[in-house]
Structures are given as structure tokens and as C-alpha cells.
Amino acid sequence: MHALSPERIGADDLTACARELRAGSKSFNAAARLLPARVRASATALYAFCRDADDLVDHGADPAASVAALRARLDAIYAGRPGALPCDRALAAVVERHQLPRAPLDALIEGFEWDARGRRYATLAELENYCARVAGTVGAMMAVLMGTRSPEALARACELGVAMQMTNIARDVGEDARKGRLYLPLEWFAEAGLEPERFLAAPSACPRVRGIIQRLLDAADGLYARIDRGVARLAPACRPGIHAARLIYADIGRVVRDNGHDSISRRAVVPGHRKAWLVAKSYVLLAMAARAPDHPPLAAIGFLVDAIARPDPPTAETPSRLAARAIFVIELFQRLEAQERMAAARMAGRPHSAI
């Protein structure tokens, strides 16, 4: 399957999507540079729509009306008659070129709706259902953009998204609590003898809360350990960036652990030089990926795999190109870290921004 070129999306629409992501999604903007050029345009269009949808539901006065509006926009996109928004036109081009099923986008919007309603999750299985919608869906769609629909690769892509979302939740427990949000399984609070409302009223990193955060990180680590075989099913040029993302996100969990599982008063950050080392490590581990054991898919992501899967043709390795890309990615992280240091130095002499 050939990937979408910028010209097929429309230069103005692609520029608008990229501008929106530079302003509001620095993580994706940096990560997109790790993708092959043939995938980057499609991913930019997809992420711009996802970002717009998230903002509309999260910040709209009426979440139900926002969800209905988004579904109407998807109706138009999948009918080949997108509205005037650049991200809608760009997504329509991606849908047509890649024959992207609608099921993951509907599930993503459902996850945003759950967020807007302040939904809580009684068990880990319920939390996995949420993570499958807000992050597993993106993993599934990215796999399609990278040219694979094999059930195994899709399962691992979805599970990587779920693991990343669990890591985000573990990292942001204090930040979410101060906004009145709680994603940790309520069952775990009951088992620890904690009352969720009392925790939200006065968030603290007591030993029992730290134990709950540790349990979530353990669940995420179990999913990260499954990813290797799925990465091996991607086109060779796509593997390093995805494998590196897995290692970097898992490393956020390591920092939370090193902080004594305190994500209430501290925020876990992986510095640029550490990311560069993890990227280099990812190239070493890629050679072992195909020999990793297989696993049955997580129950929460089964509907996504069923909606998208079909067999893939075999792909060939290109070691020399992978090595060249390793050098590029390592140098990229080195430049990003240098930019972070310069920004920190500039900010040291001025008041903190409200943004």
C-alpha cells in the first residue's frame, strides 16, 4: 500500500494541520519527525482531526451536542463530502487513500465523551476499555497508515496505545486529582481502604496511593513487554520510531518508580539525553523483535482488531537504511535536548508563563 503524499491531502490543508499541532501538540510534533516522510503527512492529518475532536468535546459547553456534531462530520468525511475545516478535508483524503475504517474514530469520540462526563472506572478491565478508546484507537489507525493490518500487529499497536495511556494516567494522578478527575480503578481504592472523594479533596502521596500507582505501572509494563512482535510486522522504516516510543513511554514509568511512585507532588520527566540513549537501544532490540513470544490480544481491544484486520504481505529488512535512521533520530533528540536547555535558561530570569 502506498502512503499518502502531501499533494494528495492538499498543501494548504496539510499546512493548517501541521500549524495546529505545532501550537497545541508538541509531543506529536516532535514524534512525527521520527516517522518516514511517506507516513508523516497522513499521521499529521489524522492527529489534527483527533486533536480538534478532543478540544471540541473537552471544552464545549454541551458534550452531547459536540459528540453529535463530530459524528455528523464523520458522516460527511466518509461520504466523501467533508466540511470546510482543513482537518476534515485532510482526514477525508487519508480515509480514501488508506481505506481507513470508521470504527476506531467512532470509538475515539466515545472515549472523549466518557472524559467529558467525568466517567470513573470500577476495575482495571473498565479502565482498559477507556484506554482502548482514547489511545488504542490511535495505535490501530497508525498501524494502517504504516501499511499493516495483520491481526498480530494491530493487537500490539492497540496495546501499545493502552500502555501509553496507563503511563499517562500514572504520571498525572496529582494533576488530574486537582481537576477533580480520577482514572485509577475504584476497586483498588476499596482494597486499599481509601475513599476516592477524600483523596480528591486533598490529594496526597500516601503509601496506599503509591501502591495503587505501582499497580497501574505494573499493568502497563505487562503490555509494553508484548510489543516486540508487533513492531516486527511494520515496514522496516517505521519500526525504529515506534519501538523508541515504547521505550521512552515505559521510561516515564521508571521515573515515577524512582520518585517513589509519587506522581502527586512530582511530575516524571525523561530528559533529552536519556531519550537519545533509548532510541539507540531500540535499534539493538529490533533484531530480536521477531523472536519475541506471541500473546492473545487484550480483551478491550478486540473490537478494533476485528474492524480492521486482514493479512499483510511479507516485508524485507533494510539494515543500512535502519542504521542511517538511527543516527538521524539520535541527533534529533540531541537537538531537542539542546533546545530544552536553552529555553530553560531563557525562562530562568522571567516569571513563569500561565500556559
Side-chain angles (χ1 to χ4, degrees):
M1 178 181 294
H2 297 292
L4 188 67
S5 67
E7 291 76 14
R8 286 186 177 273
I9 292 178
D12 291 343
D13 290 339
L14 183 61
T15 298
C17 290
R19 185 185 306 116
E20 179 178 350
L21 292 175
R22 279 196 300 272
S25 188
K26 294 180 181 178
S27 296
F28 171 79
N29 191 48
R33 299 187 226 180
L34 307 182
L35 296 171
R38 61 187 179 80
V39 177
R40 196 176 305 138
S42 298
T44 297
L46 174 63
Y47 268 77
F49 180 87
C50 294
R51 172 80 190 198
D52 184 75
D54 189 14
D55 288 345
L56 182 63
V57 177
D58 196 32
H59 302 303
D62 184 348
S66 296
V67 167
L70 282 169
R71 288 180 176 145
R73 285 167 61 182
L74 283 180
D75 288 341
I77 287 168
Y78 275 83
R81 298 187 298 273
L85 291 174
C87 63
D88 286 21
R89 291 195 298 263
L91 180 60
V94 171
V95 166
E96 180 180 5
R97 180 60 177 163
H98 294 277
Q99 295 300 293
L100 182 66
R102 178 169 170 167
L105 285 161
D106 280 328
L108 178 71
I109 292 169
E110 183 180 30
F112 293 158
E113 184 180 22
W114 291 3
D115 260 342
R117 292 179 176 176
R119 184 167 176 167
R120 295 182 186 175
Y121 306 97
T123 65
L124 176 61
E126 289 186 8
L127 180 61
E128 289 169 347
N129 284 331
Y130 164 72
C131 294
R133 281 158 177 78
V134 298
T137 51
V138 179
M141 291 186 286
M142 285 299 298
V144 172
L145 301 193
M146 292 180 191
T148 182
R149 293 174 184 251
S150 79
E152 184 179 47
L154 285 168
R156 302 293 87 88
C158 293
E159 289 164 355
L160 177 58
V162 171
M164 288 178 165
Q165 187 65 25
M166 287 179 174
T167 299
N168 280 338
I169 291 169
R171 180 195 61 194
D172 297 338
V173 171
E175 181 180 333
D176 286 333
R178 287 183 282 273
K179 297 176 182 177
R181 296 178 176 177
L182 183 64
Y183 294 95
L184 299 170
L186 301 180
E187 182 178 72
W188 294 359
F189 272 78
E191 292 170 2
L194 292 168
E195 295 181 12
E197 297 307 326
R198 292 186 65 180
F199 168 72
L200 290 174
S204 67
C206 70
R208 289 178 290 179
V209 170
R210 294 178 191 226
I212 292 173
I213 294 170
Q214 179 180 354
R215 289 182 71 175
L216 186 59
L217 289 174
D218 288 345
D221 284 345
L223 294 175
Y224 286 127
R226 298 174 173 223
I227 302 306
D228 287 339
R229 278 179 64 95
V231 172
R233 299 301 299 264
L234 297 174
C238 297
R239 296 174 196 172
I242 301 303
H243 204 50
R246 167 250 184 141
L247 293 177
I248 290 168
Y249 256 81
D251 209 54
I252 294 173
R254 177 196 60 80
V255 177
V256 173
R257 293 182 192 279
D258 289 349
N259 290 343
H261 299 97
D262 175 10
S263 55
I264 312 299
S265 62
R266 306 175 68 176
R267 181 177 174 84
V269 176
V270 179
H273 68 273
R274 173 74 178 177
K275 291 176 182 176
W277 182 84
L278 290 169
V279 169
K281 180 181 177 182
S282 74
Y283 284 87
V284 176
L285 297 179
L286 279 173
M288 299 180 287
R291 298 192 296 273
D294 194 12
H295 300 272
L298 189 70
I301 57 94
F303 76 101
L304 293 170
V305 176
D306 291 343
I308 299 173
R310 71 184 185 208
D312 284 340
T315 58
E317 288 284 354
T318 54
S320 61
R321 293 184 65 185
L322 289 180
R325 192 154 191 84
I327 296 170
F328 164 77
V329 172
I330 292 168
E331 290 177 345
L332 169 63
F333 274 115
Q334 289 172 339
R335 291 197 300 272
L336 291 175
E337 184 183 16
Q339 292 171 7
E340 290 171 3
R341 288 198 300 267
M342 292 174 62
R346 288 196 300 269
M347 292 297 294
R350 69 178 71 171
H352 290 295
S353 169
I355 299 176

